[in-house]
Amino acid sequence: KGRVERMHGTHQDRLVKKLRRKGIATHAQANEYLESEYLVEHNRRFARAPAQPQDYHRRAPSAAELDKIFRLESERTIGSDWVVRYDNRYFQLEPESRNYAPASGKVKVCEGRNGSLAIAYRGHAQRWQEIPPPARSTAQLEGGRRIATAPSTPSLAKRKWVPPADHPWRQAGRRTFGGPSLASPSASP
């Protein structure tokens, strides 16, 4: 770091130490020192006239353009009931005349810097409203066995039934068929 500063003659990291040596401790004092002494000397040493007078800088982007640039875009699939799920939230798309998004289509969910959300299908903004999550199916216990009830909405998948530990299917390896048990460790022919 020191070699670069010495080679270029600037006070990149040394400016803080220089301020400390001069007894400058507040922002106001630092700004006053920079304007009255440091920048005058710095500009005298390093300022150069431009090679061409034209200014090729672009204009600063507007706030709307910056919001389009600095946002998170995530692709989601539309459900058969026109519901889009994003960040454990559910959004119901409202059908429109020509630019509606079909079921199983892909949409972009765009989250802005301030937390605002927009849903777009093929570049066209879609109208939507947030809905509560669908009710989950509840499991009932009967005699120690778990039986899943039918889901309340068709979008939730039915769970696979798993037999309990005392079910006859699980006991098949421990049965004896006229001989020693297959599951017992002491069984040897």
Side-chain angles (χ1 to χ4, degrees), residues 13-27 29-34 38:
D13 199 29
R14 296 177 184 194
L15 177 60
V16 177
K17 296 173 186 172
K18 189 171 186 178
L19 292 174
R20 195 175 299 133
R21 278 197 314 262
K22 291 194 173 273
I24 298 173
T26 65
H27 289 288
Q29 291 173 337
N31 287 336
E32 183 182 334
Y33 168 73
L34 288 174
Y38 180 78

Side-chain angles (χ1 to χ4, degrees), residues 31-93:
N31 287 336
E32 183 182 334
Y33 168 73
L34 288 174
E35 289 174 9
S36 64
E37 294 180 37
Y38 180 78
L39 290 178
V40 174
E41 175 62 22
H42 188 78
N43 288 336
R44 184 189 63 76
R45 290 175 63 194
F46 297 107
R48 300 285 181 262
Q52 297 177 353
Q54 293 88 2
D55 185 10
Y56 289 106
H57 291 93
R58 295 181 183 177
R59 66 170 179 78
S62 66
E65 291 172 327
L66 288 175
D67 285 340
K68 279 188 174 183
I69 295 169
F70 295 110
R71 67 181 184 182
L72 297 175
E73 292 185 355
S74 181
E75 188 174 86
R76 294 291 190 254
T77 303
I78 304 170
S80 58
D81 51 357
W82 284 10
V83 173
V84 176
R85 183 177 178 184
Y86 174 73
D87 196 26
N88 288 330
R89 295 167 63 188
Y90 295 83
F91 303 103
Q92 178 74 54
L93 296 180

Side-chain angles (χ1 to χ4, degrees), residues 155-168:
S155 64
L156 295 176
K158 192 174 181 180
R159 291 188 180 209
K160 184 179 176 182
W161 181 75
V162 178
D166 61 343
H167 193 275

